Amino acid sequence: MFRTHFTVVLWFLCTFFPVRAKALEDREWWRHAVFYELCPRSFQDTKGTGVGDLNGITARLDYLRGLGVDALWLTPCFPSPQVDFGYDVADYRAIDPRFGTLQDFDRLVAEARRRGIRVVLDLVVNHTSDQHPWFLASRSSRRSPRRDWYVWRDGRGPGRPPCNWLSLFGGSAWTLDPVTGQYYYHYFYPQQPDLNWRNPAVRREMLDVTRWWYQRGVAGFRLDAVDTVFEDPALPDNPLLPGKNAFGDPNMVNRHNYKLQEVHGLLRDLRRAADPYGAVLLGETYTDSIPELQAYYGNGRNELQLPTGHMLAMAETLSAPEFRKRIDALEAMDAWPVWVFGNHDLARAVTRFGDGVHDDAIAKDLAALLLTLRGTPILYYGEELGMASHEPGRREDVVDPMARLGWPSAKRRDGARTPMQWDAGPAAGFTTGTPWLPVPLDAATRNVAVETGDPGSVLNFYRGLTALRRGSRALLEGDYQDLAPADPSLLCYLRRSQDEAVLVAVNLSPEPRKLDLGPALDGWPAARAKLLLGSGASGPEGGLPGELEPYGVVIVALAQEQHPVPAAAAGPAGS
Ligand code: NOJ
């Protein structure tokens, strides 16, 4: 009998899958890259302020390289009053002193580059801070040259905003500015006034901002809130729905200020600016609709390379049929998929999908899916440790203003932004000061140092997966074939390239399950299967494991010479 063992597996990986540096050089590098989202304020503090900084990220680059990360996406680190933790930018061409200096940033980019890691920034396109000099000028007078850089309108009468649109963070989306007697529009907080992208000067300036960062070595942008950039200038009221939301506001359909088609023109402009630099554009594009997701790539692939549909992240439960449905939907799309389980706005994946008993096994299942499905994976920092959300228990402990307003249903964001857990020392090695959010109690045992020493840890499973992926043509470029096992608790698929096939089998149930793929594996002799990586899989020596333990997962290489794959099956070219 074998039980999957990390050391054996790592030996196998290093022997048969040497690192392929080539993947980092090509222009479509983002197809093969493992992206890692991190919040600078939560990753590593080097100054004892309790808030992480850029030098902290630089100090941890070797860890990230060892984890197999190819690209970092940093949540905003521009100067900001931090009302929305950086998503309220006061200067697009500088670094917030809390996080360091431009020189620190340049050093981070250079040191990352030395390790083959690219740096992607978060561009807040929809709005600025109300402290941005553009807005200060805009609000100063109706005749200000910057007036039309934002969305200003007269009210419908005393105390009546221009229309009934609501802010996502509670209350009206219009705030009356007493100085000029007009209302300005903000889809988010009043401190985040919306830019007027219909003004060509705004568009020119923001495109220049992107070029300025590309010239500094930035490898691309994650575009924040692209769905809210445009609104109907005629300001029709949105239709109301029954009931109230977490903020006590009426439910409504955001028909006239959300997902307007004009955004595609803007995405094409941003892409034209990115292409000469070989830069990538990720987009915050929540949707369950495949046609809508497909549209973000652009006709002719001239918009976002990586729109994040959050298809798996938005699944209500951990269920193989539900996951299969979502995977099939992305697979059917004529474009390169992006896989995400968590981010800084969602409760952590283990909290949403865990059962409190098998959480580590479930974290490994999610890791296996993230890193072996066809497409680009985006990890959220701490996911590789199996970190769970640590939500505040009392309203007075909440630091996210939106969560205070929408208490208790909106508290998830603090919970998912707690400090990275490095070791069992004070504040988990994150800071020598008082961390800006409390360090979760499980940090004493769930941390990088402890998990590094445990061959069966979630962290070592991630390391094994990224090493496997990096060296496997089938996983990087191969097609996807659902093996549709009869047992509805299992997800099983093949990834095949011309000379290689990898089988992934995941048991998404709390009971052991027989792994009997029967005729589905016709032509791929199970006896010749070679274990690559697994957890909770047992069976006879060699071949496929006969059983997967609760939430067990196994990844095996199949003998390729028995079943050559036709060239046309190697995945849609140019998608
Ligand atoms: C989406 C970001 O992910 C979120 O954190 C932020 O609050 C809003 N956009 C507003 O910028």
Side-chain angles (χ1 to χ4, degrees):
M1 298 285 280
F2 74 77
R3 181 157 288 270
T4 54
H5 195 283
F6 182 72
T7 329
V8 175
V9 169
L10 205 61
W11 167 82
F12 187 89
L13 296 178
C14 297
T15 311
F16 293 98
F17 296 102
V19 172
R20 298 187 335 153
K22 179 182 162 290
L24 285 177
E25 294 314 321
D26 83 65
R27 269 185 85 74
E28 296 211 326
W29 58 271
W30 43 267
R31 286 166 76 96
H32 297 162
V34 172
F35 282 76
Y36 185 91
E37 179 198 351
L38 66 83
C39 304
R41 63 184 300 125
S42 296
F43 202 60
Q44 178 68 68
D45 171 21
T46 59
K47 296 189 291 201
T49 57
V51 167
D53 47 55
L54 297 185
N55 287 339
I57 302 171
T58 307
R60 295 295 187 178
L61 284 172
D62 286 336
Y63 164 76
L64 294 165
R65 184 63 264 175
L67 178 59
V69 167
D70 301 300
L72 299 178
W73 147 24
L74 311 185
T75 61
C77 49
F78 312 105
S80 160
Q82 303 284 323
V83 170
D84 190 13
F85 301 106
Y87 286 95
D88 45 323
V89 177
D91 181 353
Y92 286 95
R93 287 184 164 93
I95 294 294
D96 191 303
R98 291 174 185 85
F99 301 132
T101 62
L102 263 177
Q103 288 66 41
D104 295 337
F105 180 79
D106 291 343
R107 198 167 68 86
L108 167 61
V109 170
E111 288 295 319
R113 188 77 213 183
R114 274 199 329 117
R115 292 163 176 84
I117 299 176
R118 293 174 161 92
V119 176
V120 167
L121 290 180
D122 204 322
L123 189 68
V124 187
V125 283
N126 178 69
H127 49 268
T128 68
S129 160
D130 64 346
Q131 298 308 305
H132 196 296
W134 301 340
F135 187 71
L136 295 177
S138 181
R139 85 185 320 173
S140 66
S141 145
R142 289 193 188 207
R143 282 182 306 281
S144 161
R146 298 262 193 222
R147 186 66 170 180
D148 190 44
W149 279 46
Y150 295 84
V151 183
W152 291 97
R153 288 290 193 288
D154 292 328
R156 282 182 178 170
R160 295 187 59 216
C163 69
N164 74 349
W165 301 349
L166 292 172
S167 158
L168 184 72
F169 291 163
S172 172
W174 296 96
T175 291
L176 178 65
D177 186 48
V179 177
T180 58
Q182 280 193 310
Y183 287 82
Y184 67 88
Y185 174 64
H186 49 89
Y187 188 86
F188 298 96
Y189 293 120
Q191 296 91 334
Q192 294 169 301
D194 271 47
L195 281 164
N196 174 18
W197 276 86
R198 295 180 192 277
N199 180 338
V202 169
R203 194 175 281 237
R204 265 197 310 276
E205 174 61 22
M206 290 298 272
L207 290 171
D208 272 357
V209 163
T210 66
R211 290 188 200 98
W212 191 82
W213 285 105
Y214 294 144
Q215 282 156 17
R216 277 204 113 84
V218 163
F221 287 98
R222 177 261 190 184
L223 304 175
D224 182 61
V226 295
D227 287 328
T228 62
V229 170
F230 285 94
E231 44 285 327
D232 184 339
L235 311 185
D237 275 346
N238 280 329
L240 294 177
L241 293 170
K244 301 221 180 249
N245 64 20
F247 306 103
D249 298 320
N251 288 322
M252 68 170 48
V253 185
N254 287 340
R255 182 168 297 155
H256 304 293
N257 56 341
Y258 189 61
K259 292 189 190 286
L260 268 59
Q261 289 310 301
E262 287 92 324
V263 77
H264 294 290
L266 158 62
L267 297 180
R268 284 192 291 274
D269 282 358
L270 286 162
R271 179 65 182 273
R272 260 193 297 276
D275 276 346
Y277 299 92
V280 70
L281 296 178
L282 290 75
E284 189 196 23
T285 47
Y286 281 95
T287 178
D288 260 349
S289 147
I290 291 297
E292 197 174 288
L293 184 58
Q294 175 99 51
Y296 288 115
Y297 292 85
N299 289 329
R301 305 280 181 268
N302 54 354
E303 297 185 26
L304 303 174
Q305 292 102 322
L306 300 176
T308 47
H310 299 91
M311 276 297 178
L312 289 184
M314 301 312 282
E316 297 271 307
T317 51
L318 183 68
S319 116
E322 178 63 24
F323 274 41
R324 176 172 296 112
K325 204 171 74 196
R326 289 167 180 267
I327 293 166
D328 286 352
L330 276 197
E331 272 295 327
M333 184 178 67
D334 175 25
W336 185 250
V338 182
W339 303 105
V340 180
F341 277 114
N343 66 33
H344 61 284
D345 292 327
L346 301 172
R348 282 188 176 274
V350 162
T351 300
R352 276 175 292 125
F353 294 120
D355 64 357
V357 178
H358 304 96
D359 286 358
D360 278 6
I362 291 170
K364 291 178 188 173
D365 291 345
L366 301 181
L369 295 173
L370 190 69
L371 289 151
T372 66
L373 284 167
R374 188 180 68 89
T376 298
I378 308 179
L379 270 89
Y380 180 52
Y381 82 94
E383 227 162 59
E384 74 273 25
L385 303 177
M387 268 172 71
S389 278
H390 179 71
E391 289 175 353
R394 304 176 313 168
R395 189 186 195 143
E396 52 271 39
D397 297 331
V398 169
V399 301
D400 183 9
M402 168 273 237
R404 241 178 279 136
L405 264 178
W407 179 263
S409 49
K411 61 184 173 183
R412 62 176 189 276
R413 303 206 308 179
D414 278 3
R417 298 173 179 184
T418 56
M420 179 65 176
Q421 298 171 190
W422 294 106
D423 57 44
F430 162 68
T431 179
T432 53
T434 306
W436 76 281
L437 276 176
V439 171
L441 289 178
D442 74 349
T445 50
R446 187 178 295 284
N447 62 58
V448 171
V450 167
E451 291 198 37
T452 295
D454 172 3
S457 68
V458 177
L459 176 59
N460 280 328
F461 194 71
Y462 265 94
R463 286 176 173 147
L465 276 167
T466 55
L468 176 59
R469 180 188 159 84
R470 182 177 292 270
S472 162
R473 186 202 292 256
L475 290 179
L476 290 177
E477 293 165 9
D479 72 351
Y480 165 91
Q481 185 194 344
D482 181 9
L483 295 175
D487 185 335
S489 306
L490 299 179
L491 279 178
C492 296
Y493 49 89
L494 282 183
R495 298 291 317 283
R496 300 177 306 176
S497 73
Q498 289 184 357
D499 53 3
E500 191 192 329
V502 173
L503 178 141
V504 181
V506 189
N507 172 11
L508 289 187
S509 84
E511 286 98 34
R513 293 287 173 183
K514 291 262 168 294
L515 185 58
D516 178 9
L517 293 170
L521 267 190
D522 196 22
W524 298 94
R528 303 192 57 201
K530 284 206 172 49
L531 172 71
L532 297 176
L533 192 61
S535 164
S538 50
E541 193 69 47
L544 274 180
E547 188 171 283
L548 290 177
E549 292 176 8
Y551 299 104
V553 48
V554 71
I555 302 172
V556 297
L558 296 174
Q560 65 262 31
E561 69 271 21
Q562 301 295 310
H563 195 112
V565 179
S575 56

